[in-house]
Amino acid sequence: MSDNFNKNRIIKNSLLLYVRMLFTMWINLYATRLVLQNLGVEDMGVYGVVGSIVSIFSVFTGGITSAVQRFITFEAGLKEGNVNKVFCSSLNVIFILAGILLIILESAGLWFFYNKINIPEASREAAFWVFQFSILTCLINLVSIPYNALIIAREKMNAFAGISIIQVILNCAAAYLISFFDSRLLWYALFMLLASFIVRLTYQIYCRIKFPESKYHYGIDKTLLKEIGKYTGVSTTSSILQMISGQGITLVINWTFGVALNAVYNIALQLKNSILSFAMNLFKAIAPQITKTYANGELEHYKKLVYTGSKLEIFLIYFIMIPFLFRTEYIMKLWLGSSLPPYTVEFAQCIVFISLLYAAFEPIRTAILATNKIRNFMLIPESFYLLVLPVSYLCYQFSQNAMWLIISIVGMDVLTACLRIYLASKVSILEIKDIIKQILIPAILVGFFSSINCYFFSTFCHNNLFGLFMLVIINSLSIVIIIYLIGLSKSEKKLINKLIIKF
């Protein structure tokens, strides 16, 4: 078995990432509660607003993050790859980028802080230092990118999960410790900066001990710099287009139905992000092997990882999505309270379906990023998706019904996903007929029979917390059986049988 393609490592890393997700989710929830208690609503709002100035520029750092991860992972997949050259070149480029970002934030960012942000006079001095600490935190996180990328490329998810847990514990400790100080807003920003520094140092120490290729030296490979620059430019442009469409939808909803529907849409987006985080843990375990098998010319393993990974992402979403669709109103009331704003249920159901599209597409997206033929693949679909803005607005004009607005958004997501798959087939060895046969058909069959089963079970389960718990358990067991019978290929069933015998 190739070292780049290792099924047991995928399973082990997936389990580690799920443990990490469950732990960090609960700690983050508790930390948010502590921050609200110890800072208060006003100072918490100030911290969020000031931090958002720095976050605005994160769209420009997202491209370099994606580029560094891709090039380090690709080099790690080559038989005689020089990972140290890519690592050091990436780190030196990031040092330069950090310097440019510092100048921008201390000039344009500071102007925006003084002239465009409404901050209570009593909190203005503390807010200034929060801004400075936020800049330093941003730069520290930026410099951590190559170390983080190296750990993921080497598939050391135990370290990645462990350091992530350390980070959320430190964040929670920061929220707790400020209760002993005056000027809590200032101290909270300082503690968050210290937490970022400790995490950054932990990444560096771990990499220096475990990976000789992380030894730093000055120098930038010009050819590599050109490739990283092109990749970063395309990725950043794609992120900007995504930001325009995402924020544009929020504005269209605001212009048509007002802030009440904005709140409903934001709730639905939170739900989508939570569901995606559940499925993305498997993807994080698969993603490095997709890039590394492509880099080493192991194209059959490469395709197998993409098709199987995409299909399993869909199946994982089914475990949440299908019972959610049959108990949406009860679940939303359990989460938000008994009085739901109009269209909350409908928006939640539509957005959950969109999360299915996103999860299914991520392995295909990673497969194309591995090829570095990304310009058309990333820019054409994102440009096309901008049509969601006039389309959704026209749907409002003709119908005056919020349901048609969200349906138009779902429709544009489906069309954009189809366009992405078509473009993927043009720049890689992935084929549309294989995607239909190995991903789409099994997904439709499993979804259809699982939905019938869930509908049948829901008629017997009471509409209360115990009934919901029983529905989820019974439905999950039935989905496992259905996936095994009609959702897996023969080779996938053999692997499952071996694992069952082994354990």
Side-chain angles (χ1 to χ4, degrees), residues 307-321:
Y307 296 145
T308 303
S310 184
K311 183 169 62 175
L312 292 179
E313 288 288 296
I314 295 172
F315 293 161
L316 282 171
I317 295 289
Y318 280 165
F319 282 96
I320 298 176
M321 187 184 83

Side-chain angles (χ1 to χ4, degrees), residues 55-56 59 239-255 262 265-266 269 385-386 388-389 392:
S55 299
I56 288 171
V59 68
S239 297
I240 292 170
L241 291 172
Q242 288 177 18
M243 183 178 68
I244 293 171
S245 59
Q247 296 301 317
I249 290 172
T250 300
L251 290 174
V252 168
I253 291 173
N254 185 261
W255 293 337
N262 276 128
Y265 182 67
N266 288 333
L269 288 180
Y385 190 67
L386 292 176
V388 72
L389 305 179
S392 58

Side-chain angles (χ1 to χ4, degrees), residues 71-84:
F71 282 95
I72 287 180
T73 305
F74 187 91
E75 200 71 19
L78 298 174
K79 288 182 179 178
E80 298 180 0
N82 189 344
V83 178
N84 179 253

Side-chain angles (χ1 to χ4, degrees), residues 109-130:
L110 206 57
W111 174 87
F112 195 83
F113 171 82
Y114 279 119
N115 295 280
K116 298 297 180 181
I117 300 297
N118 183 20
I119 298 172
E121 194 60 38
S123 301
R124 184 164 289 275
E125 184 178 353
F128 170 79
W129 288 109
V130 168

Side-chain angles (χ1 to χ4, degrees), residues 168-185:
V168 296
I169 291 173
L170 289 172
N171 292 347
C172 189
Y176 172 73
L177 288 174
I178 58 174
S179 62
F180 297 100
F181 295 88
D182 297 325
S183 301
R184 292 179 179 181
L185 178 61

Side-chain angles (χ1 to χ4, degrees), residues 29 263-275 324 327-341 344 348 351-352 465 468:
L29 286 172
V264 171
Y265 182 67
N266 288 333
I267 289 168
L269 288 180
Q270 289 181 41
L271 186 67
K272 183 190 83 168
N273 293 334
S274 298
I275 292 173
F324 177 81
R327 285 285 192 271
T328 307
E329 186 171 357
Y330 176 76
I331 292 171
M332 298 304 288
K333 285 182 177 179
L334 195 66
W335 178 27
L336 301 172
S338 58
S339 181
L340 295 177
T344 300
I351 292 293
V352 166
L465 188 59
L468 175 64

